[in-house]
Amino acid sequence: MKQSVNGRHFLDLAAIDSASLRLILTKAAELKAQRKQGTMPPYLAGKKLAMIFEKNSTRTRVSFEVGMVELGGYALSFNGSELQLGRGETVADTAQVLSRYVDAIMLRCHSHDKLEELAANASIPVINGLTEYSHPCQILADILTFEEHCGPIKGKTIAWIGDGNNVAQSWIHASALLGFTFRLACPTSLNPLPEVVAWANENGGNIQLVQSPQDAVKNADCVTTDTWVSMGDPDPEAQISMLAPYQVNEALMALASPAAIFLHCLPAHRGEEVTAGVIDGPQSKVFDEAENRLHVQKAIVLWCLNII
Ligand code: CP
Ligand code: NVA
């Protein structure tokens, strides 16, 4: 685990231990239950989060901002180009300056190296709000959603169909921490990074790369996918044509466990990676999943600031 001067960074699930992951999930569930009863403890009174977005966002931006406010804190949001960072101020200087003003920084950026550089130079916690490599905040929300509907994830099977992208790679990290099977069907050139798969399999995970979507979903407890074109992907047309056989549709869902749920981090493209019948159908829990981003973000900030 990377330790900053005033708290803990949340850069990747591979860099945190399973006890911390469980602590965050448990706190998120508790905060969710309290919020439903109208109680929102002011754990973050006076705390400030700076958020920098080099890429678009709906869920990440709004859930962090609302989460900070609901717990008594404050969030400031910037796109990358409006800061001096956008016209050449260094990441290191930005990290040091923001560390004098706020209590934590969330960054969504194109390059994971930039996130690491920000963290290395900040004296406050840095949170990964999505890079081309991983999306750990999302996967905590996904696991919370899965466990609400299907019980403990340990020993269960999650099927991933499509692009072995940033979201898939955070699922792979989580497989090692929480002991579930993560079975992927991806076009070979869109497989997740081999070192990410190897790391998980060497650290208690069970990552299975299979040939076809049909093989992947067989008896799975959850089927999940993501957009065929991620933000920053260089060749959208090639991705779309490669991924055409990887749609999650009703026929594919029928091969999963009858109790299987469907998850998608959103934004979704109906008629591409998923049919409307699946994402808007009874097995889909995508809006619970989106809601859970709020509860999880709060718990992540509490963990980063050593409040839990
Ligand atoms: N799932 C997710 O991160 O959504 P946004 O891009 O809207 O933040
Ligand atoms: N894989 C997608 C996730 C968006 C939340 C992307 O990186 O664009």
Side-chain angles (χ1 to χ4, degrees), residues 138-139 142-143 145-147 149-150 153 156-163 167-168 171 180-186 210 212-228 245-266 268 272-275 277-287 289:
Q138 180 66 51
I139 297 316
D142 294 3
I143 292 164
T145 311
F146 179 87
E147 294 198 328
H149 290 282
C150 307
I153 198 165
K156 299 281 192 348
T157 298
I158 313 297
W160 176 274
I161 310 301
D163 185 8
V167 176
W171 267 114
F180 58 88
T181 296
F182 192 63
R183 208 188 283 145
L184 304 94
C186 313
V210 301
S212 71
Q214 289 72 19
D215 290 341
V217 301
K218 204 170 172 208
N219 300 322
D221 301 291
C222 171
V223 177
T224 185
T225 186
D226 190 7
T227 176
W228 285 346
Y246 292 79
Q247 183 186 67
V248 179
N249 52 34
E250 289 83 338
L252 196 67
M253 282 303 290
L255 302 175
S257 157
I261 61 168
F262 172 76
L263 295 180
H264 188 310
C265 65
L266 306 178
E272 292 188 13
E273 75 272 11
V274 61
T275 57
V278 170
I279 196 168
D280 300 320
Q283 288 170 286
S284 175
K285 306 299 170 200
V286 298
F287 296 112
E289 183 184 3

Side-chain angles (χ1 to χ4, degrees), residues 2-220:
K2 204 157 185 174
Q3 198 74 37
S4 63
V5 173
N6 294 305
R8 304 138 154 162
H9 295 309
F10 186 82
L11 302 183
D12 258 323
L13 299 182
I16 77 168
D17 55 85
S18 52
S20 293
L21 195 119
R22 270 289 158 216
L23 181 67
I24 295 169
L25 287 169
T26 302
K27 192 67 186 178
E30 184 190 312
L31 290 167
K32 180 173 183 173
Q34 286 178 317
R35 185 177 189 264
K36 291 212 184 305
Q37 290 162 357
T39 307
M40 285 176 274
Y43 287 117
L44 296 175
K47 300 291 186 193
K48 292 160 284 284
L49 173 72
M51 303 191 288
I52 306 170
F53 289 94
E54 289 186 351
K55 302 177 178 180
N56 296 50
S57 172
T58 297
R59 282 142 289 270
T60 305
R61 176 173 173 164
V62 178
S63 61
F64 267 112
E65 185 159 342
V66 170
M68 287 300 295
V69 169
E70 287 189 351
L71 296 186
Y74 189 79
L76 305 91
S77 178
F78 309 97
N79 68 55
S81 58
E82 75 191 290
L83 295 175
Q84 296 290 11
L85 189 61
R87 46 185 294 280
E89 185 165 18
T90 66
V91 173
D93 285 356
T94 303
Q96 295 193 66
V97 170
L98 291 180
S99 296
R100 303 293 179 105
Y101 296 142
V102 300
D103 300 281
I105 308 169
M106 191 235 76
L107 175 64
R108 168 170 287 197
C109 63
H110 290 281
S111 149
H112 198 78
D113 289 347
K114 184 183 274 189
L115 179 82
E116 299 269 4
E117 190 183 351
L118 189 80
N121 289 281
S123 58
I124 56 174
V126 171
I127 298 170
N128 178 354
L130 180 147
T131 68
E132 86 295 5
Y133 173 75
S134 60
H135 195 6
C137 294
Q138 180 66 51
I139 297 316
L140 288 193
D142 294 3
I143 292 164
L144 182 62
T145 311
F146 179 87
E147 294 198 328
E148 285 172 348
H149 290 282
C150 307
I153 198 165
K154 189 175 168 64
K156 299 281 192 348
T157 298
I158 313 297
W160 176 274
I161 310 301
D163 185 8
N165 64 12
N166 44 6
V167 176
Q169 292 190 156
S170 283
W171 267 114
I172 292 171
H173 289 151
S175 162
L177 270 67
L178 297 181
F180 58 88
T181 296
F182 192 63
R183 208 188 283 145
L184 304 94
C186 313
T188 311
S189 63
L190 297 179
N191 272 337
L193 292 171
E195 59 267 32
V196 175
V197 174
W199 176 87
N201 281 334
E202 284 158 18
N203 286 279
N206 182 12
I207 310 304
Q208 302 175 359
L209 294 171
V210 301
Q211 290 300 316
S212 71
Q214 289 72 19
D215 290 341
V217 301
K218 204 170 172 208
N219 300 322

